[in-house]
């Protein structure tokens, strides 16, 4: 009876089904408490009530159905705690309680269910420690988005049958367990308070299955271990937003299956190894907000969709072959020390091209006009000069054009409105003009007032050479689909565009 529009309470309606073994009522509009009268013979094996509006607690009477192999109560409005004696369901294979309002501690009795393969209780409010030995028989454990505390039990990741462990978004402390089973495919420990180093011998055995390793937003320190290169199946490595130091190990270039590499917001230094940038499967490379220096590697993966190197100390020019990266949709190179000629960009660029806060000079390339799908172009805080190319008006998808803090002159091209979207640069310049006018009027009033009041102990600086603090509202963070697009807009400089 799943995937219907059934509604109301369930009390005694099903008790007359003497031989009821399987009950699927998911994706309906049922309300009230979890039903407990589910066949007088008590032979129920599978109870699936997910994606309804059941509320109240998990009734102890459910534990009377000793043949249960599956309980799926996810995506309801259940509260209270898990019954302490749930471990008496000795045949249970799947227990799914995700997306409710359950709390309290996770019962130790779960450890005793030798048949339990899958336990998911994410998106709740469980507290306390992770029960010791909970993965002794489990293959899939998801306790993410709770309020669990304490350390991760040392043997949690070592059982030979474990496939997935997700403990992300909790309050766990201590180190990452070093003994990781070769059967583990996905490890998610992000957004906790874990400390210590990234385990160096993570994939010591040949044929290790680890494919996804996500340890972001913790307090991990030390170097990125070169030994991670032994994880040959690794497709995603996310160590972002930690306190990692040292250079990027070139050995990561041996991860031939790596598709996503996120190391942003650490304290990494040194240069970017070309062995990493050349990884053929790599689609996301985010090394932003570190202290990397040297040039951008001369070769990049043809699979790249996102290239984010902003907020480092990179110098030199942009790789000349970037235009050949046909899958590239977003380029973030702001806040570096890049200079030289800007090569033609991939025509598929769509989300953003950020070259702000670098050392580019000369004319704005007219080739940008070919980027007809691009939504954000940020060239602010450079030394571009000359006129704004009229051809930029052909960028019909453009919603944000940042040109502030350059040396541009001439008239502003007529940007139109395409599909209800208008280029924000025109709006920003209009606002800048208004702010400039208001500021001049205010300054004039102050000067006149001080003149007539004969205030001689204070002098107002002339408009030439003054260094007035800009209002905080002029400092903006522009959101893009892939995170924060940083831009510092100085409207006093924007006026140079229309001078």
């Amino acid at each position: 009876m799943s995937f219907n529009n059934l509604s109301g309470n369930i009390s005694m309606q099903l008790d007359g089904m003497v031989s009821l073994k399987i009950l699927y009522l998911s994706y309906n509009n049922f309300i009230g408490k979890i039903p407990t009268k589910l066949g007088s013979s008590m032979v129920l094996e599978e109870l699936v009530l997910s994606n309804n509006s059941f509320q109240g607690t998990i009734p102890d009477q459910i534990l009377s159905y000793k043949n249960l192999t599956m309980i799926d109560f996810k995506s309801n409005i259940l509260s209270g705690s898990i019954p302490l004696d749930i471990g008496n369901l000795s045949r249970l294979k799947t227990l799914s309680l995700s997306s409710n309002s359950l709390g309290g501690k996770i019962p130790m009795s779960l450890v005793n269910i030798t048949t339990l393969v899958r336990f998911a209780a994410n998106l709740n409010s469980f507290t306390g420690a992770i029960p010791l030995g909970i993965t002794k028989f489990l293959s899939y454990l998801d306790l993410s988005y709770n309020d669990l505390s304490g350390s991760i039990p040392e043997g949690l990741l070592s059982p030979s049958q474990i496939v997935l462990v997700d403990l992300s978004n909790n309050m766990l402390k201590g180190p990452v367990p070093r003994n990781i089973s070769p059967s583990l495919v996905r490890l998610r420990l992000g957004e906790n308070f874990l400390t210590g180093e990234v385990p160096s011998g993570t994939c010591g055995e040949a044929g290790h299955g680890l494919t996804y390793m996500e340890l972001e937003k913790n307090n991990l320190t030390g170097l990125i271990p070169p030994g991670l290169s032994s994880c040959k199946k690794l497709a995603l490595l996310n160590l972002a937003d930690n306190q990692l130091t040292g250079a990027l190990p070139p050995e990561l270039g041996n991860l031939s299956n790596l598709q996503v590499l996120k190391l942003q917001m650490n304290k990494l230094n040194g240069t970017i190894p070309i062995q990493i940038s050349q990884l053929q499967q790599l689609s996301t490379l985010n090394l932003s907000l570190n202290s990397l220096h040297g040039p951008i590697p001369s070769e990049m993966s043809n699979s790249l969709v996102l290239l984010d190197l902003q907020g480092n100390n990179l110098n030199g020019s942009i790789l000349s072959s970037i235009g050949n990266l046909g899958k590239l949709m977003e380029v973030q190179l702001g806040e570096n020390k890049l200079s030289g000629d800007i090569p033609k960009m991939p025509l598929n660029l769509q989300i953003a091209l950020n070259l702000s806060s670098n050392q580019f000079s000369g004319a704005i390339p007219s080739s940008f006009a070919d980027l007809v799908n691009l939504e954000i172009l940020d060239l602010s805080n450079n030394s571009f000069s000359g006129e704004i190319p009229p051809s930029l008006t052909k960028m019909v998808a453009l919603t944000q054009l940042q040109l502030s803090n350059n040396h541009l002159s001439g008239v502003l091209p007529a940007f139109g409105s395409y599909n209800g979207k208008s280029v924000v640069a025109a709006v920003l310049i209009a606002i800048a003009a208004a702010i400039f006018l208001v500021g001049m009027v205010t300054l004039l009033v102050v000067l006149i007032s001080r003149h007539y009041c004969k205030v001689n102990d204070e002098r107002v600086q002339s408009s030439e050479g003054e260094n007035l603090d800009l209002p905080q509202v002029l400092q903006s963070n522009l959101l893009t689909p892939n995170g924060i697009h940083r831009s510092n807009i100085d409207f006093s400089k924007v006026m140079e565009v229309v001078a």
Side-chain angles (χ1 to χ4, degrees):
M1 291 184 279
S2 297
F3 295 95
N4 282 290
N5 290 312
L6 301 174
S7 59
N9 291 276
I10 301 174
S11 55
M12 299 291 294
Q13 297 96 316
L14 302 174
D15 201 40
M17 301 180 70
V18 178
S19 301
L20 183 62
K21 291 186 177 182
I22 298 176
L23 180 60
Y24 280 52
L25 298 176
S26 59
Y27 292 93
N28 280 289
N29 299 308
F30 291 113
I31 59 174
K33 296 184 177 181
I34 296 288
T36 58
K37 302 295 184 179
L38 301 172
S40 56
S41 62
M42 309 291 286
V43 294
L44 189 66
E45 296 178 2
E46 298 182 11
L47 177 58
V48 179
L49 306 179
S50 59
N51 295 88
N52 282 284
S53 296
F54 290 108
Q55 53 189 320
T57 60
I58 301 174
D60 289 334
Q61 294 92 318
I62 292 294
L63 306 184
S64 300
Y65 293 85
K66 302 295 185 181
N67 291 335
L68 277 172
T69 61
M70 176 185 290
I71 295 177
D72 187 351
F73 293 164
K74 68 174 177 286
S75 298
N76 281 284
I77 319 173
L78 301 176
S79 56
S81 57
I82 302 174
L84 292 177
D85 294 329
I86 196 167
N88 293 336
L89 296 176
S90 59
R91 299 183 181 182
L92 196 62
K93 295 180 180 178
T94 298
L95 177 59
S96 181
L97 305 174
S98 307
S99 300
N100 280 286
S101 298
L102 298 167
K105 296 184 177 181
I106 296 172
M108 281 293 300
S109 63
L110 281 172
V111 177
N112 300 325
I113 306 178
T114 60
T115 56
L116 193 61
V117 174
R118 186 184 300 267
F119 176 40
N122 51 301
L123 290 164
N124 280 287
S125 299
F126 290 109
T127 58
I130 300 171
L132 186 64
I134 194 171
T135 56
K136 184 176 181 181
F137 305 107
L138 284 176
S139 293
Y140 303 89
L141 174 65
D142 189 349
L143 299 178
S144 60
Y145 292 91
N146 280 287
D147 297 314
L148 299 172
S149 57
S151 60
I152 301 174
E154 179 57 36
L156 189 82
L157 307 178
S158 60
S160 60
Q161 81 292 333
I162 195 68
V163 174
L164 178 147
V165 173
D166 190 347
L167 304 177
S168 57
N169 292 85
N170 279 285
M171 297 186 291
L172 300 170
K173 299 180 180 180
V176 178
R178 296 185 175 277
N179 191 4
I180 298 178
S181 172
S183 64
L184 188 66
V185 173
R186 185 161 198 171
L187 175 61
R188 303 190 72 228
L189 303 179
E191 298 197 47
N192 281 285
F193 300 101
L194 301 176
T195 54
E197 299 181 347
V198 179
S200 57
T202 303
C203 302
E205 299 182 24
H208 202 290
L210 190 62
T211 306
Y212 309 96
M213 186 177 189
E214 300 164 75
L215 306 180
E216 78 281 0
K217 295 186 178 180
N218 281 288
N219 295 314
L220 300 176
T221 56
L223 307 176
I224 297 176
L228 286 177
S229 61
S230 63
C231 301
K232 299 299 184 182
K233 294 185 179 180
L234 207 59
L236 185 155
L237 177 59
N238 188 353
L239 305 177
D241 201 355
N242 279 286
Q243 303 293 322
L244 300 174
T245 56
L248 290 169
E251 289 84 355
L252 294 183
N254 296 326
L255 298 173
S256 58
N257 292 306
L258 195 64
Q259 299 177 34
V260 176
L261 179 60
K262 294 184 176 183
L263 302 176
Q264 69 269 24
M265 299 180 71
N266 279 288
K267 299 178 180 179
L268 302 173
N269 54 38
T271 59
I272 302 174
I274 195 170
Q275 295 92 330
I276 294 176
S277 65
Q278 285 180 328
L279 285 167
Q280 291 304 304
Q281 302 297 322
L282 196 63
S283 63
T284 296
L285 177 59
N286 193 337
L287 305 177
S288 61
L289 302 175
N290 280 286
S291 298
L292 300 172
H293 59 81
I296 297 174
S298 58
E299 296 183 29
M300 289 280 178
S301 166
N302 289 325
S303 300
L304 271 182
V305 175
L306 166 65
L307 175 63
D308 192 344
L309 305 177
Q310 67 177 325
N312 283 286
N313 294 311
L314 300 174
N315 55 30
S317 58
I318 301 173
L319 66 157
S320 58
S321 60
I322 193 170
N324 298 328
L325 305 181
K327 297 181 180 179
L328 200 56
M329 297 182 68
E330 181 174 7
V331 175
Q332 299 282 353
L333 300 178
E335 300 178 65
N336 281 289
K337 298 177 181 178
L338 300 173
S339 59
D341 294 334
I342 298 175
K344 284 190 175 182
M345 291 291 163
L347 299 181
N348 203 49
L349 272 184
Q350 180 177 341
I351 298 172
L353 172 58
N354 177 13
L355 304 180
S356 64
S357 301
N358 278 288
Q359 299 173 4
F360 294 112
S361 59
I364 294 176
S366 58
S367 61
F368 285 157
D370 297 331
L371 306 177
V372 294
N373 297 313
L374 188 65
E375 297 179 4
I376 297 173
L377 175 60
D378 191 346
L379 305 178
S380 62
N381 299 300
N382 281 286
S383 297
F384 289 109
S385 58
E387 296 185 349
I388 300 174
S391 58
L392 295 190
T393 60
K394 298 178 182 179
M395 302 175 71
V396 295
L398 204 61
T399 60
Q400 296 180 21
L401 174 59
Q402 305 285 356
L403 301 175
S404 57
N405 291 342
N406 280 286
H407 304 297
L408 299 171
S409 59
V411 297
L412 180 68
F415 288 90
S417 178
Y418 310 99
N419 299 323
K421 297 179 180 179
S422 59
V423 181
V424 82
V427 177
L428 291 179
I429 291 171
I431 294 173
I435 292 174
F436 181 82
L437 181 60
V438 171
M440 292 300 295
V441 171
T442 302
L443 182 59
L444 183 61
V445 170
V446 170
L447 287 172
I448 293 173
S449 173
R450 291 184 176 183
H451 173 76
Y452 282 103
C453 293
K454 297 182 179 180
V455 180
N456 297 318
D457 55 342
E458 294 183 5
R459 294 179 179 270
V460 180
Q461 293 181 353
S462 66
S463 59
E464 293 184 5
E466 67 182 354
N467 185 21
L468 299 176
D469 291 334
L470 293 174
Q472 283 297 313
V473 72
L474 303 185
Q475 304 296 320
S476 68
N477 285 328
L478 304 176
L479 292 177
T480 72
N482 285 329
I484 297 294
H485 175 70
R486 294 172 171 263
S487 179
N488 294 319
I489 304 172
D490 185 346
F491 284 107
S492 64
K493 295 293 185 180
V494 175
M495 293 307 299
E496 296 180 9
V497 176
V498 292

